[in-house]
Amino acid sequence: ERRTYEVKKRSDEPTERRDNDGLHRRRGVWYYTLNVKGTRRFFSTRTTNYQKARKVRADAEKLQSEGRLPGDLSKQKFEVALREVLDGRKPHLAENTIRLEKERSGPLLRRLSGLRVKQIDAPAIATYQAARAKEVSPRTVNLETKVLRYVLKAAKVWAPIADDFKPLREDRRGPGIALEDEQERVLFETAASKPEWNTAYLAALAASNTTMRSCELKALRLQDVDLIAREVTIRRSKTDTGIRQIPLNPGGLWSFARILERANGLGSVNPDHFLFPRFLYRETKTAGHGTGYDPTKPQKTWRTAWRALVKETARRAGREAARQTLESGRGLRAAIAAWKRAAAPLTGLRFHDLRHTAITKLAEGEASDSTIMSIAGHLDRSMLEHYSHIRVAARRKAVEAITSSWVLPEEREAPAATKSVQ
């Protein structure tokens, strides 16, 4: 080996000789070159083993030919790459989606900040999933890892770990509930009791009578509501099948009439103005200095009012149940149990559950599947079954409708024992 080295030094060949396979060694580590966007760039295989280095280079060439070679974004820290990716997605997303992705980025930043994007591999994602699963539902964890995948795909480092990634198993039954008639009564009586809940009250009443989602309500414009024809047109929805026309029943007609009155009073007068204009109290940098309403923009959320409303509704339902229990002569312990039973279904009630309730009523009213899908905007039967929660009262009524030619012994004219067996 020593003689060979001396011969090389005395020859006319360059000191750093590159092999025919495109590899060359520097301080014991093998390197290779690739032509990236017209520029020759050097990459380290991070190994001193020649055979491993050849495999690393072959894999890199394959990824480059498929357009999946890791880019410069993979060298950035995760927090920098996340900000760049989310900013690039903003022009293509709705405002509410942008807000949701920002919220889902919080837990990712708390646990992955400081890491280079290329360091986030399948074991790191699995560790994140296990830690977050102790705090939130599997559905929430999957939505957060979806944002993480956006970053990894943009950095071209997702493909090598895609096969090793497994989302958490979700409850396919869904978290939604359908309100009983008594629960619905308490909810709307409570909502109508305070002026500050008026927006949430009218929106909830409209949703429970039309199957509309909150995003669909917020996107409505004055031209979309026709009180004379008694129908509302949804032009923007969560999915393409959500674009539809919904007839208005008396409850829906009354709620939309009140919503239109409110919108007119807040400055929505043109057909293209929003039915729920945006309140500018937080937008202090605008011309209005955070006062008044902007009818050219939709309301962002009524979450604060809805949470307060739901909390008070659960309290009222529990209080009524406890009072009835005490009036019936049962003890304090039974009243406390009745309070908890009545308040439990309403605690944490989501606005989307009003859509569940409306679709459940359609299913219980013996409407055909195609009719329900056309009203609710469903795509297939699996989604219909997801929303059509048959309530206890409806199941009991359905079972009681079952008749039989067999007559129970106690209902016969004579006891069964006195009759001879044929």
Side-chain angles (χ1 to χ4, degrees), residues 258-273:
R258 304 289 87 73
I259 294 172
L260 281 170
E261 290 179 1
R262 175 183 178 275
N264 294 153
L266 298 179
S268 293
V269 292
N270 295 333
D272 60 341
H273 283 174

Side-chain angles (χ1 to χ4, degrees), residues 172-174 176 356 359-360 363 369 372-373 376 378-390:
R172 293 300 178 184
R173 296 172 299 175
H356 287 255
I359 299 175
T360 300
D369 291 350
I372 296 175
M373 292 178 187
H378 287 150
L379 181 61
D380 52 28
R381 184 171 181 81
S382 63
M383 290 301 296
L384 175 65
E385 293 175 350
H386 173 78
Y387 282 107
S388 297
H389 305 281
I390 304 303

Side-chain angles (χ1 to χ4, degrees), residues 234-255:
I234 300 174
R235 308 180 193 275
R236 183 176 179 181
S237 181
K238 181 180 178 181
T239 62
D240 292 338
T241 55
I243 300 175
R244 61 200 187 277
Q245 288 182 323
I246 303 177
L248 296 178
N249 62 5
L253 190 65
W254 185 91
S255 61

Side-chain angles (χ1 to χ4, degrees), residues 303-358:
R303 182 172 56 184
T304 301
W306 178 256
R307 287 179 175 176
L309 167 59
V310 167
K311 186 175 180 180
E312 179 61 25
T313 301
R315 186 183 297 114
R316 287 195 181 190
R319 190 162 52 239
E320 287 185 11
R323 184 177 65 252
Q324 293 174 3
T325 303
L326 291 174
E327 290 175 352
S328 65
R330 302 170 65 184
L332 180 60
R333 183 173 297 180
I336 296 175
W339 180 305
K340 292 181 179 180
R341 283 195 303 270
L346 296 169
T347 302
L349 181 72
R350 305 174 309 158
F351 187 88
H352 196 72
D353 291 328
L354 299 174
R355 173 174 164 85
H356 287 255
T357 303

